[in-house]
């Protein structure tokens, strides 16, 4: 029996996307929180908390996109054709955010507020359109003769727009709990106060998505509520609810605990989405095996991936280790 390279690549891409969501999610959340923290000293502290790691976090997005192109070219072609506009808007947001990050560090006091606004706008834009991409993807992409058969605005739907707003809530919570862990004093207390309603908002979002998705998609409802699947999958929403309640409890007193629990909640939500879609790489009906590149091509690319992923992981872990602990405004960016 040969090695299932399509399955291996699917796991790699899912792993990369998950790490991107949990890693870049919190620093996008920090940017979204900027208007709620008006004083310069606290904003400098917020920037210092993500300065050493924010650009490395985006490596996982590149890995996911490159892996999709190498391993599942049909999926890459269809998804990019269907979601070209929201992907472009997401990239514009990431570019604006990156430019603002660098320019703000060198801006004069008179012009710094412009880069603060650009940092917030880029973070918000990137987050919203990531959520829209997710919602449009979950809703399914029309395909005929292995090509996208919709139009340029097929991605616009109430569900996709709701997912954009939902991801803003999720990333903002990741950002606030990250700042609970990384800061102290008044800024930390402000983040604790903000995190409580954000947990409630995220719980409401999870419930609504959990109801909306199976109602809108018969195949997903069949996956979750048919027997014996129901018995096997029922623990996942139970664990998610318990994790949310524990997160709400830890917000008032934990340091690293609230952030870790936020990551667990996000990971459980990501797992639920994966279960809903598996094994389709182009919803609703094209599987990873149908969209695969030739085995030889996947195997060749897999060698490179297995060499580079440990390097990325080592670099990421080392960065977080070196820059662990609390930050202060005087730490600066460079």
């Amino acid at each position: 029996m040969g090695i299932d390279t399509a399955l291996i690549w699917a796991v790699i891409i899912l792993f990369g996307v998950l790490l991107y969501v949990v890693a870049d999610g919190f620093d996008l959340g920090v940017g979204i929180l900027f208007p709620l923290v008006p004083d310069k000293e606290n904003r400098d502290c917020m920037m210092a908390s993500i300065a050493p790691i924010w650009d490395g976090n985006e490596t996982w997005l590149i890995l996911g996109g490159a892996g999709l192109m190498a391993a599942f070219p049909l999926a890459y072609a269809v998804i990019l054709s269907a979601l070209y506009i929201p992907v472009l808007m997401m990239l514009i947001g990431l570019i604006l955010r990156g430019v603002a990050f660098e320019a703000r560090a060198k801006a004069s006091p008179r012009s710094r507020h412009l880069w603060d606004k650009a940092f917030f706008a880029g973070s918000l834009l990137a987050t919203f359109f990531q959520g829209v991409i997710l919602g449009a993807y979950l809703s399914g992409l029309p395909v005929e003769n292995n090509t996208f058969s919709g139009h340029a605005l097929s991605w616009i739907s109430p569900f996709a727009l709701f997912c954009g707003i939902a991801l803003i809530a999720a990333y903002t919570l990741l950002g606030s709990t990250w700042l609970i862990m990384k800061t102290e004093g008044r800024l930390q207390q402000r983040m604790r106060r903000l995190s409580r309603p954000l947990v409630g908002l995220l719980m409401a979002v999870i419930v609504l998505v959990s109801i909306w998705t199976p109602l809108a998609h018969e195949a997903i409802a069949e996956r979750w509520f048919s027997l014996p699947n129901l018995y096997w999958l029922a623990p996942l929403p139970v664990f998610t609810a318990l994790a949310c309640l524990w997160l709400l409890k830890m917000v008032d007193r934990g340091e690293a605990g609230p952030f870790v629990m936020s990551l667990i909640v996000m990971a459980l939500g990501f797992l639920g989405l994966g279960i809903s879609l598996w094994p389709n790489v182009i919803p609703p009906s094209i599987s990873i095996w149908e969209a695969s590149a030739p085995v030889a091509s996947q195997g060749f690319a897999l060698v490179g991936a297995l060499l580079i992923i440990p390097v990325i992981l080592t670099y990421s872990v080392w960065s977080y280790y070196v820059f662990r602990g609390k930050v202060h405004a005087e730490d600066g960016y460079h």
Side-chain angles (χ1 to χ4, degrees):
M1 184 176 179
I3 298 174
D4 192 342
T5 53
L7 180 59
I8 296 173
W9 265 112
V11 172
I12 290 173
I13 292 171
L14 288 171
F15 176 71
V17 172
L18 174 61
L19 286 184
Y20 172 76
V21 167
V22 300
D24 206 38
F26 71 78
D27 58 58
L28 285 167
V30 169
I32 295 171
L33 285 164
F34 246 49
L36 302 178
V37 184
D39 52 293
K40 176 185 177 299
E41 181 177 348
N42 283 339
R43 286 186 173 182
D44 289 345
C45 191
M46 293 166 69
M47 294 293 264
S49 74
I50 59 174
I53 53 177
W54 73 272
D55 47 355
N57 290 339
E58 294 179 357
T59 305
W60 298 108
L61 181 63
I62 298 170
L63 174 67
L68 188 67
M69 180 178 65
F72 306 106
L74 174 60
Y76 183 85
V78 169
I79 292 170
L80 265 291
S81 298
L83 304 176
Y84 181 83
I85 293 176
V87 168
L88 180 62
M89 295 302 295
M90 177 193 72
L91 293 176
I92 290 172
L94 292 175
I95 292 169
L96 178 61
R97 176 171 165 271
V99 171
F101 212 119
E102 298 290 341
R104 183 186 184 277
K106 301 175 177 61
S108 66
R110 185 176 181 180
S111 63
R112 184 177 290 113
H113 73 97
L114 297 175
W115 295 114
D116 285 349
K117 292 180 176 66
F119 184 62
F120 163 71
S123 301
L124 187 67
L125 190 68
T127 301
F128 176 73
F129 278 100
Q130 283 180 22
V132 168
I133 290 167
L134 174 62
Y137 180 75
L138 285 171
S139 297
L141 308 176
V143 178
E144 291 182 7
N145 299 320
N146 288 338
T147 58
F148 173 63
S149 59
H151 55 81
L153 300 180
S154 294
W155 53 273
I156 299 178
S157 70
F159 182 71
L161 297 177
F162 172 77
C163 286
I165 296 170
L167 198 64
I168 291 173
Y171 280 6
T172 305
L173 176 62
L174 283 176
S176 65
T177 54
W178 168 259
L179 290 172
I180 289 174
M181 181 176 69
K182 296 293 289 184
T183 64
E184 51 193 1
R186 289 187 301 171
L187 179 57
Q188 186 190 61
Q189 292 306 312
R190 179 177 291 179
M191 290 301 112
R192 290 190 192 278
R193 291 193 298 271
L194 284 172
S195 294
R196 296 186 199 108
L198 285 171
V199 175
L201 180 59
L202 181 61
M203 293 174 69
V205 162
I206 292 172
V207 170
L208 188 52
V209 170
S210 300
I211 295 172
W212 194 338
T213 305
L215 286 177
H217 306 286
E218 185 177 344
I220 294 177
E222 178 72 15
R223 173 68 55 85
W224 281 90
F225 299 113
S226 63
L227 297 177
N229 290 2
L230 180 61
Y231 300 136
W232 291 104
L233 299 179
L236 182 60
V238 173
F239 289 152
T240 304
L242 291 175
C244 288
L245 293 174
W246 189 250
L247 168 59
L248 192 60
K249 182 178 181 180
M250 296 189 72
V251 160
D252 291 325
R253 59 185 183 187
E255 292 284 332
F259 180 64
V260 172
M261 289 306 302
S262 297
L263 295 182
I264 291 173
V265 171
M266 292 293 290
L268 289 170
F270 186 83
L271 178 59
L273 293 176
I275 291 171
S276 297
L277 294 173
W278 183 261
N280 296 323
V281 68
I282 306 176
S285 59
I286 298 179
S287 71
I288 58 173
W289 298 281
E290 293 171 316
S292 290
V295 173
S297 299
Q298 287 186 336
F300 179 79
L302 186 59
V303 173
L306 294 179
L307 289 174
I308 196 63
I309 289 174
V311 175
I312 300 173
L313 281 171
T314 302
Y315 161 80
S316 300
V317 171
W318 180 248
S319 297
Y320 281 89
Y321 175 76
V322 169
F323 296 101
R324 66 192 183 279
K326 299 289 185 179
V327 297
H328 305 89
E330 59 270 18
D331 292 339
Y333 176 33
H334 295 286

